[in-house]
Amino acid sequence: MNTAMVEAQGVRKSFGSTEILKGITLKIDRGSVTCLIGPSGSGKTTFLRCINHLEKVDAGRLYVDQQLVGYAERNGKLYEMKERQTARSRRAAGMVFQRFNLFPHMTVLENIVEAPIRVLGRPRSEVTVEAQTLLDRVGLGNRGGAYPQELSGGQQQRVAIARALAMKPKLMLFDEPTSALDPELVGEVLDVMKSLAEAGMTMVVVTHELAFARQVADQVVFMDQGVVVESGPPAEVLGNPKHERTQAFLSKVL
């Protein structure tokens, strides 16, 4: 049985003449938490966006749950899927961004039920019950009727997590989910993420929160200049890094 939820094989990505990803090969087991760390510009967010085909890879192969992302393979050649097919496969991964991207004219509950109703065609009554359960899960059960501007940044990010979960993804992708928050609000978002990890959700997290990575991650991946420099359990990568570049980075941030 293939235990990988995400498998990257020699993934490359360029923007113009600048190569951002230079052959990423990485395996992420289902039910695990992988934290991507490294300096700004190392390719972490680009790789995350490639996982659900928000960015198209230029070379290599990227699989989610053993399915090629954004492409079909015939006779050893890759053919890009039509947008509708790609959108369907993208539902396997929920994504939470730095900015919350909530619809300001909709209530919290409306933000959560919108995609399951419009995209999946599910009945409103059923989705609304599930959305309330998700709000309870992220500690905002009494705020369904509020509008985003009435919530703190941490509360808005928790709503964004609930909205992603409403599509029942197999995988959750987080792009520095606490970087836009005031320091005192970071903990409430990380607590929700910890509870997801404890429930067995496969998660890939781009983060600067090394304490979270040490406590929750099964695998820490240090990236620099578009390559994976070092990866392994947090006790090894954070506690006893082998590569000089990893050591130099951690000496500045720990």
Side-chain angles (χ1 to χ4, degrees):
M1 177 182 166
N2 188 336
T3 61
M5 176 62 78
V6 179
E7 188 166 359
Q9 301 174 353
V11 169
R12 293 180 176 271
K13 174 65 183 178
S14 296
F15 294 106
S17 61
T18 304
E19 191 173 32
I20 305 298
L21 301 178
K22 303 172 182 176
I24 300 290
T25 295
L26 186 66
K27 186 181 286 189
I28 294 165
D29 286 338
R30 61 187 73 234
S32 70
V33 178
T34 293
C35 286
L36 306 180
I37 67 170
S40 297
S42 58
K44 307 182 300 295
T45 292
T46 299
F47 178 63
L48 198 74
R49 290 173 64 84
C50 286
I51 292 175
N52 67 351
H53 206 60
L54 289 175
E55 300 291 353
K56 301 174 185 179
V57 302
D58 296 325
R61 283 165 169 71
L62 190 48
Y63 298 87
V64 171
D65 200 15
Q66 302 180 61
Q67 301 294 313
L68 268 172
V69 175
Y71 296 90
E73 187 169 2
R74 293 190 292 274
N75 300 321
K77 288 188 175 182
L78 295 185
Y79 298 86
E80 191 169 357
M81 290 180 179
K82 292 186 170 67
E83 180 55 37
R84 184 175 293 181
Q85 293 172 297
T86 299
R88 194 176 298 124
S89 66
R90 192 177 282 139
R91 296 174 200 162
M95 189 149 183
V96 178
F97 301 88
Q98 295 179 37
R99 296 290 173 181
F100 328 119
N101 297 341
L102 300 177
F103 297 116
H105 62 287
M106 292 183 177
T107 65
V108 163
L109 197 65
E110 289 167 345
N111 265 279
I112 295 171
V113 303
E114 177 75 2
I117 293 170
R118 281 184 178 268
V119 178
L120 303 182
R122 297 184 57 210
R124 179 177 291 273
S125 57
E126 186 179 287
V127 172
T128 300
V129 170
E130 291 180 6
Q132 185 58 54
T133 299
L134 286 171
L135 280 176
D136 291 338
R137 186 174 178 183
V138 300
L140 293 169
N142 63 341
R143 302 309 304 272
Y147 286 88
Q149 64 268 26
E150 298 171 335
L151 305 180
S152 70
Q155 290 172 326
Q156 290 185 60
Q157 192 62 294
R158 284 188 277 155
V159 173
I161 293 171
R163 181 177 61 180
L165 291 171
M167 294 293 284
K168 301 183 183 297
K170 301 174 183 178
L171 166 70
M172 284 287 284
L173 308 173
F174 294 87
D175 184 14
E176 298 192 25
T178 60
S179 66
L181 301 178
D182 292 334
E184 67 268 23
L185 302 178
V186 168
E188 63 191 53
V189 174
L190 294 181
D191 285 344
V192 170
M193 294 170 65
K194 288 174 189 174
S195 71
L196 287 178
E198 289 165 2
M201 174 63 75
T202 309
M203 295 162 56
V204 186
V205 186
V206 173
T207 186
H208 294 296
E209 300 288 342
L210 298 187
F212 171 83
R214 184 179 281 110
Q215 183 180 355
V216 179
D218 299 289
Q219 175 178 225
V220 173
V221 178
F222 174 67
M223 292 178 62
D224 188 33
Q225 297 183 12
V227 300
V228 172
V229 176
E230 191 166 348
S231 65
E236 290 181 11
V237 177
L238 299 178
N240 187 28
K242 296 176 176 62
H243 198 283
E244 284 183 14
R245 183 66 189 93
T246 316
Q247 295 167 6
F249 173 78
L250 292 174
S251 71
K252 294 174 182 172
V253 298
L254 286 178

